Amino acid sequence: MKHIRWSCDPLPAPADRGTLIPLGLGNSLGDCCLNNGGTVVVTRGMNRLLDFDAETGLIRCEAGATLDEVLRFAVPRGWFLPTTPGTSFITVGGAVANDVHGKNHHWAGSFGCHVTRLELLRSDGRRLVCSLAENSDFFAATIGGMGLTGLITWVEFRLRRIVSTMIETESVKFRDLDEFFDVSEGTDARCEHTVAWVDCVTRGRGILMCGNNVDDAGAAGATLKPHTEPRLNFPHGFPSCALNRFSIRLFNQLYYSRQLRKRVRGLQHYSQFFYPLDVVKNWHRVYGAPGFFEAQIVLPPDVAKEALREIFKQAARFGQGAFLVVLKKLGSIRSPGLMSFPRPGVTLGIDFPNKGERTKKLFTEIFRIGLDTGAAFNPGKDALMPPECFAKTCPNLESFSAFIDPAFSSNAWRRLTKGLL
Amino acid sequence: MKTCIQKAFLVGATSGIAQALAERLAASGAALFLAGRSGGKLDLMARDLRLRHGARVETLAVEFEKTEGHAGAVRRAWEWLGGADASFVCHGALIDQKVCERDFGEATRSFQINLLSAASFAGEIANRMEAAGHGTLVVISSVAGDRGRQSNYAYGAAKAGLTAFLQGLRNRLFPSGARVLTVKPGYVDTPMAAHIRSSLKVSADRAARDILCAAEKGCDTLYTPWFWRPIMLVVRLIPEYVFKRMKL
Ligand SMILES: Cc1cc2nc3c(=O)[nH]c(=O)nc-3n(C[C@H](O)[C@H](O)[C@H](O)COP(=O)(O)OP(=O)(O)OC[C@H]3O[C@@H](n4cnc5c(N)ncnc54)[C@H](O)[C@@H]3O)c2cc1C
């Protein structure tokens, strides 16, 4: 591990002439920020805010700044992230490199859609300022480029205006997948942010949560107060055996039942709404030492329902429960990123506690279902995808390869392209 | 924390502790004049402080080894700030002892940066403070200067010299009303100490908080964190004929 602390500093030299890969906060759930035998470049020290235009909401910051830090600055001034993933503990560099998407993808597209410029530091010492107009090929390759095209030193992107930190929410219970598709049709058109939690142990009952930013500055409780620090810390050494089919079933049951009525409306602070997990530091310790595997898959709209049923069936067959599983529809706004994961369809995010072989076999089934239905997988969250699957679901692989920095590589990249390139 | 430091001059401003000091000072509304080796880094730091805290910030690139330029740098700072409530001299270099043993040129560099350059800045600032009868001079020395040890005496000797220099300055300035604070940090989590693994390490922000608190109170010497005071007391009390046999 080596640190880069200033965006004007040169790249650290890799140990033993090995390769480099940048690391943000390491919150991608796979191995795209790991580099066995090579060097990981820690970017967190590089976290300064550089420019901000209070008229247009254009902000420029060093790539190691976190969304959390950006929000603390922007929110009191009446600005918010254009889109945000389910945690604020990721860096802006990581948001670009994985082209993250949020609950408003169907209205706003992915993070990369809002990036106006960035600087890329290559291992030959060149600094490329990239945008749609300048070095546009590097711009396209770097958004969603998994840190392989060089080190992003700073990013300029557009914030969106808010008049309040509150979100008007609505949550709707659905009994099964059929009902989910019916209900979400209406809410997608009406609400900017939508996401659904499903209980995959059953036929897919769940709760759809959606919301819109409060746009009336005079509304009750409208303030511009940003979020506070997380207070709870999940303890180390949580016994992994505590997570089994029964406890997961119980948890899902309780979660589903906490809402009694079919439809509930409310008002939530953005932190509760977007970052429910951020209040508990190190929440992933609930999985104990073996950890978990995550898959995120996007299914083409016409086959989505059937494919989801099949995936839930396989999970049951392998006796693998999963905590609240996330379903959401992705819209048709295209990202400038060549390797960007989001595309129109229904995305399922699911994480299974690591039970060794059993879990790996289940993933093999999921990848098979994905390939059969023309789905794609998010390489930023994956740790198990086989190269054939990556090649089939990633149409721009060849053209992307031309922009990879010769000194950069990662575990994920070597695994995903083994025997391909 | 609010401080009554409204105008501050930081030398070695891009060092880990100085960055944390600047952050706290800017947050409490102080105007800052930052001097450091790299103009590029100073610019990044200044942009961040201006944006997030709306602070008034000016920067100047200086060469620490060239002491003849120090007076000019201090003059620029005083003119821009209109006099300073507090000045912080934070630059230093931890050069590996083994390298200094092989190459006296490197030991010389350690004295150059940690003693001569710091003393030169401290002296220039002291002259201004004495004339104004106002201000606090804060200089980062080190616990390593409290006793020479085989593991880092090239660094320790420079810091010991600096500590003595500051004692003299404090003594001289006392009647004028200006103050001198000698800071002796232990292990602080900064790039300079990145290679040191120790459970006694504290964050740069913690050190900065202690420093500002001691500066406000008008302390003479600060050990940060506090437990280094009793530790160093013990280390100083060990008789030399025992000490020379120890591996420290
Ligand atoms: C609770 C939780 C919820 C999440 N929800 C979502 C979600 O809703 N939508 C979504 O899309 N993702 C989601 N994610 C995934 C996460 O947002 C992304 O994986 C994000 O990229 C992680 O950022 P990071 O800063 O931790 O980067 P890391 O994990 O450290 O790195 C991710 C990738 O970015 C590269 N990288 C990092 N910094 C730089 C740089 N300066 N220059 C070049 N490359 C760089 C790395 O090399 C690596 O390939 C979630 C993750 C968690 C833990």
Side-chain angles (χ1 to χ4, degrees):
Chain A
M1 273 218 252
K2 292 200 174 160
H3 290 262
I4 181 160
R5 293 189 170 89
W6 303 85
S7 49
C8 60
D9 268 350
L11 271 178
D16 311 323
R17 276 180 269 119
T19 57
L20 298 171
I21 195 74
L23 170 77
L25 277 186
N27 260 332
S28 49
L29 303 159
D31 53 357
C32 61
C33 54
L34 303 180
N35 193 11
N36 293 351
T39 303
V40 166
V41 184
V42 184
T43 60
R44 262 301 278 146
M46 196 168 68
N47 65 351
R48 297 168 195 87
L49 306 186
L50 304 177
D51 291 299
F52 173 65
D53 184 334
E55 295 294 307
T56 60
L58 207 61
I59 190 168
R60 189 166 71 94
C61 64
E62 288 184 308
T66 62
L67 299 188
D68 178 76
E69 287 162 340
V70 172
L71 286 171
R72 276 176 210 286
F73 170 77
V75 166
R77 293 169 172 80
W79 294 91
F80 201 78
L81 297 166
T83 183
T84 173
T87 174
S88 61
F89 296 119
I90 72 162
T91 62
V92 171
V96 174
N98 275 344
D99 196 15
V100 301
H101 62 275
K103 293 176 179 163
N104 61 348
H105 186 270
H106 59 298
W107 282 31
S110 62
F111 196 87
C113 299
H114 306 272
V115 174
T116 47
R117 283 191 309 157
L118 55 84
E119 186 186 69
L120 194 62
L121 175 57
R122 302 271 293 182
S123 60
D124 57 10
R126 279 191 303 162
R127 287 176 184 270
L128 304 175
V129 174
C130 308
S131 67
L132 286 175
E134 263 173 295
N135 295 308
S136 55
D137 43 0
F138 278 99
F139 187 64
T142 301
I143 294 175
M146 291 185 285
L148 294 159
T149 60
L151 183 96
I152 305 167
T153 56
W154 55 256
V155 180
E156 181 186 79
F157 60 101
R158 257 181 257 112
L159 296 171
R160 58 112 75 202
R161 249 200 205 289
I162 50 168
V163 297
S164 158
T165 47
M166 304 304 279
I167 311 279
E168 263 167 334
T169 63
E170 183 181 327
S171 60
V172 190
K173 259 173 133 168
F174 52 88
R175 276 186 320 267
D176 53 26
L177 285 175
D178 288 321
E179 202 181 347
F180 163 75
F181 281 90
D182 291 345
V183 175
S184 69
E185 206 58 53
T187 51
D188 277 356
R190 213 171 55 236
C191 301
E192 169 167 0
H193 313 285
T194 87
V195 68
W197 302 93
V198 273
D199 171 2
C200 80
V201 181
T202 66
R203 284 159 305 163
R205 63 179 178 184
I207 301 177
L208 182 80
M209 293 177 230
C210 50
N212 282 312
N213 291 67
V214 169
D215 57 7
D216 172 10
T223 67
L224 288 173
K225 228 172 90 176
H227 56 292
T228 47
E229 300 273 331
R231 258 156 308 173
L232 305 167
N233 194 350
F234 209 88
H236 250 307
F238 192 76
S240 58
C241 60
L243 276 196
N244 53 46
R245 250 182 299 172
F246 307 103
S247 61
I248 290 176
R249 192 182 276 272
L250 181 69
F251 178 85
N252 282 331
Q253 173 70 41
L254 288 175
Y255 195 88
Y256 183 72
S257 328
R258 78 179 182 162
Q259 177 175 329
L260 290 176
R261 276 177 299 144
K262 178 87 191 155
R263 202 176 278 269
V264 177
R265 286 175 206 279
L267 200 61
Q268 274 185 328
H269 189 257
Y270 73 80
S271 57
Q272 271 176 304
F273 183 73
F274 289 120
Y275 313 122
L277 283 173
D278 282 1
V279 286
V280 189
K281 240 187 184 162
N282 297 315
W283 58 271
H284 57 266
R285 287 183 187 155
V286 70
Y287 289 101
F292 64 98
F293 287 111
E294 159 117 2
Q296 188 180 24
I297 179 169
V298 55
L299 298 153
D302 45 326
V303 295
K305 206 187 290 177
E306 279 320 306
L308 285 171
R309 285 214 176 93
E310 182 62 21
I311 291 171
F312 293 170
K313 212 163 85 194
Q314 291 297 339
R317 183 160 80 90
F318 284 92
Q320 281 246 317
F323 274 127
L324 300 163
V325 172
V326 180
L327 264 187
K328 106 160 245 37
K329 290 215 202 136
L330 297 184
S332 54
I333 303 175
R334 276 183 64 120
S335 161
L338 209 53
M339 295 284 281
S340 181
F341 160 76
R343 63 203 75 189
V346 178
T347 160
L348 168 75
I350 190 162
D351 40 66
F352 296 106
N354 179 8
K355 306 270 182 202
E357 268 318 295
R358 187 144 58 97
T359 312
K360 292 200 176 139
K361 281 210 186 101
L362 168 59
F363 268 83
T364 311
E365 287 301 320
I366 295 179
F367 291 128
R368 180 187 58 74
I369 299 167
L371 282 179
D372 288 350
T373 53
F377 298 89
N378 188 348
K381 291 191 179 180
D382 153 88
L384 297 170
M385 196 187 337
E388 311 81 70
C389 185
F390 184 56
K392 282 225 182 82
T393 58
C394 207
N396 297 325
L397 196 53
E398 281 242 349
S399 34
F400 172 69
S401 307
F403 297 97
I404 296 179
D405 189 293
F408 280 55
S409 183
S410 67
N411 285 9
W413 187 247
R414 288 187 291 272
R415 174 174 56 78
L416 289 170
T417 58
K418 203 168 171 187
L420 287 183
L421 296 171
Chain B
M1 183 180 70
K2 276 270 169 250
T3 75
C4 46
I5 300 170
Q6 285 308 305
K7 294 183 277 185
F9 174 40
L10 282 89
V11 184
T14 60
S15 78
I17 293 179
Q19 282 188 69
L21 283 167
E23 171 76 32
R24 280 184 171 263
L25 288 165
S28 76
L32 305 175
F33 192 94
L34 310 177
R37 203 193 309 259
S38 156
K41 291 182 188 177
L42 289 171
D43 176 54
L44 293 170
M45 199 175 152
R47 280 170 179 275
D48 181 74
L49 294 168
R50 283 186 202 121
L51 264 186
R52 283 189 307 123
H53 304 295
R56 226 163 59 83
V57 185
E58 177 65 308
T59 66
L60 178 70
V62 293
E63 289 183 69
F64 293 127
E65 282 89 343
K66 297 207 172 127
T67 47
E68 62 275 17
H70 292 185
V74 175
R75 176 164 34 79
R76 290 268 301 270
W78 248 252
E79 280 167 9
W80 188 84
L81 288 166
D85 301 320
S87 300
F88 301 83
V89 177
C90 304
H91 60 295
L94 186 55
I95 300 169
D96 187 59
Q97 174 62 29
K98 285 276 172 277
V99 176
C100 294
E101 284 165 25
R102 267 183 268 119
D103 177 359
F104 194 71
E106 285 298 296
T108 310
R109 208 160 67 81
S110 178
F111 297 142
Q112 184 62 252
I113 295 174
N114 295 310
L115 174 56
L116 299 180
S117 170
S120 152
F121 262 115
E124 290 296 340
I125 293 165
N127 292 348
R128 300 233 164 218
M129 293 195 332
E130 190 177 40
H134 166 74
T136 303
L137 167 65
V138 180
V139 183
I140 313 274
S141 185
S142 171
V143 291
D146 278 13
R147 191 156 196 182
R149 291 175 293 127
Q150 60 175 305
S151 56
N152 70 346
Y153 59 87
Y155 180 75
K159 290 296 195 182
L162 182 60
T163 298
F165 185 88
L166 294 171
Q167 275 171 344
L169 267 187
R170 180 180 302 118
N171 193 192
R172 177 189 128 199
L173 293 187
F174 182 74
S176 75
R179 306 209 169 268
V180 178
L181 167 63
T182 308
V183 179
K184 297 182 179 177
Y187 303 131
V188 180
D189 192 4
T190 63
M192 183 173 168
H195 60 286
I196 298 168
R197 292 194 193 288
S198 167
S199 52
L200 301 181
K201 226 180 201 181
V202 296
S203 72
D205 185 56
R206 163 79 194 276
R209 191 187 68 195
D210 287 357
I211 291 169
L212 290 178
C213 194
E216 297 272 296
K217 278 198 280 191
C219 301
D220 297 326
T221 305
L222 167 75
Y223 284 86
T224 170
W226 62 270
F227 51 74
W228 286 95
R229 186 181 287 275
I231 293 176
M232 293 320 292
L233 180 66
V234 172
V235 170
R236 278 201 313 270
L237 286 176
I238 301 169
E240 195 62 28
Y241 68 91
V242 178
F243 197 79
K244 71 182 178 194
R245 293 180 166 81
M246 296 169 71
K247 286 234 177 305
L248 279 167

